[in-house]
Amino acid sequence: MDKPTIGGQAVVEGVMFQTKNRMVTAIRRNNDEIEYFEMERPEKKWVKNLKKVPLLRGNVAILESSIYGMKHLDFATDRYERDPEDDVNIEQEKQAANSTKVVLSTIIVGILSFIIGKFLFTLIPVFIAEVFSGTVTSHFGQVLLESVFKLILLLGYIYVISMTPMVKRLFQYHGAEHKVINTFENDQDLTVENVQRQSRLHYRCGSSFILFTVLVGFVVYMFVPVEPFYVRILNRIALIPVVIGLSFEFLQLTNKLRDIPVLKWLGIPGLLLQYLTTKQPDDTQVEVAVHSFNKLLRRD
């Protein structure tokens, strides 16, 4: 029987794993106990049909991950550094604030944050490149300069936030997530020792996707004008869904080719970025990831 495709996401002091049917998060509380949050992953027929359409399915997948992922992040952050005996107050606070409104507002904030972040990440390099338009005048030079600034912005941002204690621990759980998936895909028992021997890098990681948006964007922008400047701004905004869709397809392609000599090198740039977005987890963090993964397998 074919193995299910399992994805994941690091959350505050824990890891979420998911199949196409279910999502499970395990977190470690400050009393050292492991707590779970589970939910089914309902999929409407029209969404399922959209996810079969090349280019479009990448945008749908990103949006869907943002919506469901925010619920698990919300669960983890609500309980971060709070005494488990205080959990009843968490529920009362949510009820007082109307839990439905809280969930909806959290999802909306998550989606808006992604959209605004994507706009800024796309447009700031355009404005910087335009500053040098008097020196770098060619179409190729401007697109290359824009892509270089975008890459610097990406790497610089990740490096700076990785220096903060909370994000560093989040990146350690990200590493634990990858190690567990690699252990499962390599048909090894999910013990802490086996997991720790695995790589913290994985071809299907969202970090690779982010880098691919830079590389794919460079190619796409070569076919659209950069002058006049307002046209450049408009086509960058209009092409965001196209770049996301193509990057998603390229990510899926590199995953399929990862065992083929020579072609597996297509995914290397994304793997290199993961040296920034993942950190080596300790045994206690790996233990949380293993608990989350095992719970998902039992439920699914």
Side-chain angles (χ1 to χ4, degrees):
M1 183 175 68
D2 292 337
K3 287 186 175 182
T5 299
I6 297 180
Q9 173 183 318
V11 298
V12 178
E13 292 303 322
V15 178
M16 179 270 284
F17 286 109
Q18 60 181 326
T19 62
K20 63 180 181 179
N21 301 314
R22 180 169 291 274
M23 308 171 77
V24 172
T25 288
I27 61 172
R28 189 180 295 278
R29 303 299 298 273
N30 58 15
N31 64 352
D32 207 37
E33 292 183 358
I34 294 177
E35 186 174 337
Y36 301 94
F37 173 64
E38 305 176 46
M39 61 175 284
E40 291 185 0
R41 188 173 177 175
E43 189 170 58
K44 298 185 181 297
K45 186 176 181 180
W46 65 272
V47 174
K48 189 174 181 179
N49 290 333
L50 287 178
K51 289 169 73 173
K52 296 178 181 179
V53 182
L55 296 184
L56 187 58
R57 59 190 171 192
N59 289 273
V60 175
I62 295 297
L63 183 61
E64 189 179 49
S65 294
S66 298
I67 293 173
Y68 291 142
M70 283 304 300
K71 295 182 180 180
H72 291 260
L73 283 170
D74 186 46
F75 164 78
T77 53
D78 274 348
R79 287 152 181 79
Y80 177 63
E81 289 189 339
R82 292 187 71 158
D83 194 301
E85 295 181 0
D86 194 37
D87 284 359
V88 63
N89 292 330
I90 297 177
E91 298 306 319
Q92 290 176 349
E93 289 167 6
K94 286 195 170 185
Q95 289 177 4
N98 189 322
S99 59
T100 301
K101 290 182 179 179
V102 170
V103 171
L104 287 175
S105 63
T106 300
I107 292 173
I108 291 172
V109 168
I111 295 173
L112 287 177
S113 297
F114 172 79
I115 293 174
I116 293 172
K118 185 60 183 171
F119 268 62
L120 292 176
F121 179 68
T122 299
L123 297 181
I124 288 177
V126 175
F127 284 96
I128 298 176
E130 178 66 16
V131 173
F132 296 90
S133 60
T135 306
V136 181
T137 58
S138 69
H139 182 279
F140 175 83
Q142 273 291 302
V143 174
L144 177 61
L145 198 60
E146 178 184 335
S147 300
V148 169
F149 283 130
K150 187 179 294 186
L151 185 60
I152 292 173
L153 183 64
L154 170 65
L155 297 179
Y157 173 74
I158 293 175
Y159 177 75
V160 170
I161 65 172
S162 70
M163 304 295 285
T164 63
M166 179 179 288
V167 174
K168 182 179 179 180
R169 287 191 62 81
L170 189 71
F171 284 178
Q172 285 179 296
Y173 277 107
H174 190 192
E177 172 218 326
H178 286 182
K179 282 174 172 282
V180 167
I181 292 177
N182 283 329
T183 306
F184 175 72
E185 292 180 346
N186 289 330
D187 295 314
Q188 296 185 22
D189 293 334
L190 289 173
T191 65
V192 172
E193 294 76 15
N194 285 344
V195 171
Q196 285 287 32
R197 284 194 286 266
Q198 299 296 316
S199 170
R200 70 177 200 258
L201 312 180
H202 198 281
Y203 274 82
R204 281 188 284 109
C205 178
S207 303
S208 297
F209 167 78
I210 294 173
L211 180 63
F212 290 154
T213 62
V214 178
L215 304 178
V216 169
F218 170 72
V219 176
V220 171
Y221 299 154
M222 291 301 297
F223 296 94
V224 293
V226 296
E227 296 293 342
F229 185 62
Y230 77 90
V231 172
R232 184 176 184 175
I233 294 293
L234 291 176
N235 68 44
R236 294 302 185 266
I237 294 174
L239 288 171
I240 286 177
V242 176
V243 172
I244 288 176
L246 286 172
S247 300
F248 180 84
E249 300 298 332
F250 190 71
L251 179 67
Q252 300 302 308
L253 177 65
T254 60
N255 184 55
K256 293 177 181 178
L257 301 177
R258 61 178 174 170
D259 295 321
I260 301 176
V262 181
L263 294 180
K264 69 179 183 180
W265 291 95
L266 290 171
I268 295 299
L271 295 179
L272 291 176
L273 180 61
Q274 291 175 42
Y275 280 110
L276 280 179
T277 62
T278 65
K279 301 293 183 185
Q280 178 64 32
D282 61 35
D283 287 352
T284 62
Q285 292 169 317
V286 168
E287 182 185 16
V288 173
V290 170
H291 275 277
S292 178
F293 197 90
N294 285 334
K295 173 78 79 169
L296 176 68
L297 292 182
R298 289 195 298 270
R299 295 302 195 202
D300 196 61

